[in-house]
Structure formats: structure tokens, C-alpha cells
């Protein structure tokens, strides 16, 4: 579940206290740069997709069958949480802010039927070759769709000439990505997997530049480039 994944990421990517933001609430500058890659089982621009890239989703009255965008709209069942203002039960220990919290005292700090996370994430892919030609990462049962992603901490701040002054998430930038197979080339091969393509998912590949902190406050001289695949392999 996305809320559990975001809670795990918050623990793994949290900066030491001396480098984190001074705000009482966590924000993008409180975490190391993040790359999330894999099969998310949701389509672009679905409610769960917008939750990942915007950091928030109001689930009051939302149809649970349309959350991922993979189901049709012929069924309608409102998503209901464990309580009016909490999606998960206290026993899970994860708040609507996608944080591990201690609810043993019975107190909950969620006051809105919405889930949030503090990461500024963006997709390495644009999901369209052109306005009328979407990208696809899987093809089965005569359906082409995108369910695989490489999400990363996006560079939303103004560029700075000195890397020691940059927010942590600005030190990671997308350099390039490998193009996906077009639908016109994919359809003649048939559903995946087949004798030409051994997987039922198409490999995504992106290249990132990481600008390391400079302890001497000198201008950036060297950059490290990393190649990321959605099979979770990272190469330098």
C-alpha cells in the first residue's frame, strides 16, 4: 500500500537532525534525494498517481474502484477509512501523513479525510510521446497501459551556483531517459511476454545527476551520474 511505502521511505530517507529543516512538520528539505522505481499498479493521472506527485489526496466520497485508474467506472463504492478522519486503523501505526506514529494513548492528529506525504516527487517519464500517443510499459490481454514508474525528488527550486546552499532534493536532477517502445511497434509482437520479449513489462531506464555537498563551499567541479532501471538496479 502506498501509505506504508511512504512511511518506510520517510524513515529511510530522513536526514540527520542537524541537516533537516527547522520546521516542526517534515518537508522535502528534511530528506535525502529519493528515487522510487517499480510496478506501482496504477495508471498516469489517476487519483493515486496525483497523490504521489502532488503529495496529497482527499478520499472523502472517492470511488475506490477508480483510485488506481485500472478499473472501469461501472462500479461505485466509496472508499471508507477506519474512522471518519483516518484511513488506516490505529493498530497499523501509520497516520494520514504517512508517518509511523504511536497511537497507544488513543490520540489521533488527523482531522481531515485526506492523506499526505512530504516528498516532492515527479515521474522520469512524461507518459506521452505526443498529445495523441501515450507511452506504455505493459501489454497483456490486448490492453496497453502504463503501470511502471521511476519517481524521483524533483528539482523545483531556483538553481544555485554553490551546491552547499542547495536544498537536498535539488542535488538530484534527471539527465535523460530511454525511450519506450511505441504501440505501433508493440502490437505486432502480441501480448507480453512472448518469444521476442521475455517479460510482461517493458524496462524503464533513467539517468540522474547527483551533486554532492561541498564542505569547503567551493563551486561544483565534479558530478556523479547514476543509471536507474525499474528492476531496482542502480549503476554509477
Amino acid at each position: 500500500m502506498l501509505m506504508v511505502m511512504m512511511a518506510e521511505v520517510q524513515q529511510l530517507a530522513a536526514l540527520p537532525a542537524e541537516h533537516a529543516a527547522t520546521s516542526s512538520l517534515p518537508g522535502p528539505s528534511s530528506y535525502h534525494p529519493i528515487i522510487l522505481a517499480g510496478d506501482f499498479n496504477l495508471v498516469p493521472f489517476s487519483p493515486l498517481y496525483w497523490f504521489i506527485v502532488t503529495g496529497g489526496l482527499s478520499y472523502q466520497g472517492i470511488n475506490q474502484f477508480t483510485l488506481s485508474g485500472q478499473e472501469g467506472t461501472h462500479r461505485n463504492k466509496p472508499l471508507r477509512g477506519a474512522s471518519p478522519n483516518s484511513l488506516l486503523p490505529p493498530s497499523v501505526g501509520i497516520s494520514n501523513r504517512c508517518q509511523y506514529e504511536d497511537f497507544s494513548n488513543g490520540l489521533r492528529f488527523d482531522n481531515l479525510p485526506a492523506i499526505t506525504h512530504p516528498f516532492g516527487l515527479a515521474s522520469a517519464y512524461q507518459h506521452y510521446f505526443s498529445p495523441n500517443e501515450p507511452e506504455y510499459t505493459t501489454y497483456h490481454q490486448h490492453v496497453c497501459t502504463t503501470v511502471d514508474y521511476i519517481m524521483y525528488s524533483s528539482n523545483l527550486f531556483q538553481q544555485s551556483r554553490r551546491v552547499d546552499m542547495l536544498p537536498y532534493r535539488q542535488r538530484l536532477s534527471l539527465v535523460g531517459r530511454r525511450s519506450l517502445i511505441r504501440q505501433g511497434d508493440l502490437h505486432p509482437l502480441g501480448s507480453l511476454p512472448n518469444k521476442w520479449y521475455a517479460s510482461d513489462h517493458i524496462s524503464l531506464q533513467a539517468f540522474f545527476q547527483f551533486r554532492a555537498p561541498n564542505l569547503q563551499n567551493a563551486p561544483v567541479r565534479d558530478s556523479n551520474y547514476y543509471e536507474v532501471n525499474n528492476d531496482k538496479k542502480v549503476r554509477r
Side-chain angles (χ1 to χ4, degrees):
M1 189 174 184
L2 281 177
M3 290 180 67
V4 177
M5 180 181 71
M6 293 300 182
E8 292 288 338
V9 171
Q10 288 200 53
Q11 287 195 327
L12 293 172
L15 289 174
E18 61 269 24
H19 297 299
T22 56
S23 170
S24 60
L25 294 177
S29 58
S30 300
Y31 300 94
H32 289 289
I34 297 165
I35 297 176
L36 300 176
D39 180 358
F40 286 32
N41 275 319
L42 56 92
V43 302
F45 315 119
S46 63
L48 288 181
Y49 176 91
W50 286 121
F51 165 67
I52 295 173
V53 300
T54 66
L57 172 66
S58 175
Y59 57 83
Q60 185 173 25
I62 196 169
N63 182 3
Q64 68 178 28
F65 292 111
T66 62
L67 276 174
S68 70
Q70 294 181 288
E71 297 280 350
T73 58
H74 59 283
R75 292 191 293 173
N76 185 16
K77 184 178 180 181
L79 180 66
R80 299 187 184 278
S83 67
N85 294 324
S86 178
L87 191 58
L88 299 179
S91 58
V92 178
I94 297 177
S95 70
N96 277 8
R97 293 182 295 177
C98 296
Q99 289 181 299
Y100 282 108
E101 297 186 17
D102 183 9
F103 301 126
S104 58
N105 56 10
L107 297 177
R108 295 299 295 256
F109 299 99
D110 306 322
N111 54 16
L112 292 174
I115 54 176
T116 62
H117 70 79
F119 311 120
L121 298 177
S123 172
Y125 283 78
Q126 297 178 329
H127 313 312
Y128 278 87
F129 291 108
S130 66
N132 297 317
E133 185 181 6
E135 295 175 333
Y136 302 103
T137 66
T138 186
Y139 174 34
H140 57 86
Q141 298 178 348
H142 308 291
V143 175
C144 284
T145 190
T146 288
V147 293
D148 304 278
Y149 300 89
I150 298 176
M151 296 286 183
Y152 70 101
S153 300
S154 60
N155 185 351
L156 300 178
F157 293 95
Q158 184 177 4
Q159 291 288 343
S160 172
R161 295 181 62 184
R162 296 175 63 164
V163 71
D164 59 291
M165 299 174 62
L166 293 175
Y168 268 76
R169 70 166 170 167
Q170 190 174 342
R171 297 173 186 172
L172 181 71
S173 57
L174 178 66
V175 177
R177 57 183 172 267
R178 180 165 292 177
S179 180
L180 296 172
I181 303 174
R182 292 178 178 267
Q183 184 178 17
D185 298 323
L186 190 59
H187 271 178
L189 303 179
S191 297
L192 302 177
N194 53 46
K195 63 181 180 180
W196 294 282
Y197 206 91
S199 174
D200 60 340
H201 291 258
I202 298 169
S203 177
L204 280 67
Q205 191 175 42
F207 302 88
F208 295 90
Q209 180 187 42
F210 177 70
R211 305 175 69 187
N214 190 316
L215 299 181
Q216 282 73 42
N217 296 334
V220 179
R221 295 179 181 177
D222 299 315
S223 298
N224 293 323
Y225 289 86
Y226 294 86
E227 172 188 338
V228 179
N229 294 274
N230 62 324
D231 60 4
K232 302 180 181 178
K233 295 178 181 178
V234 179
R235 302 183 183 91
R236 179 176 175 181

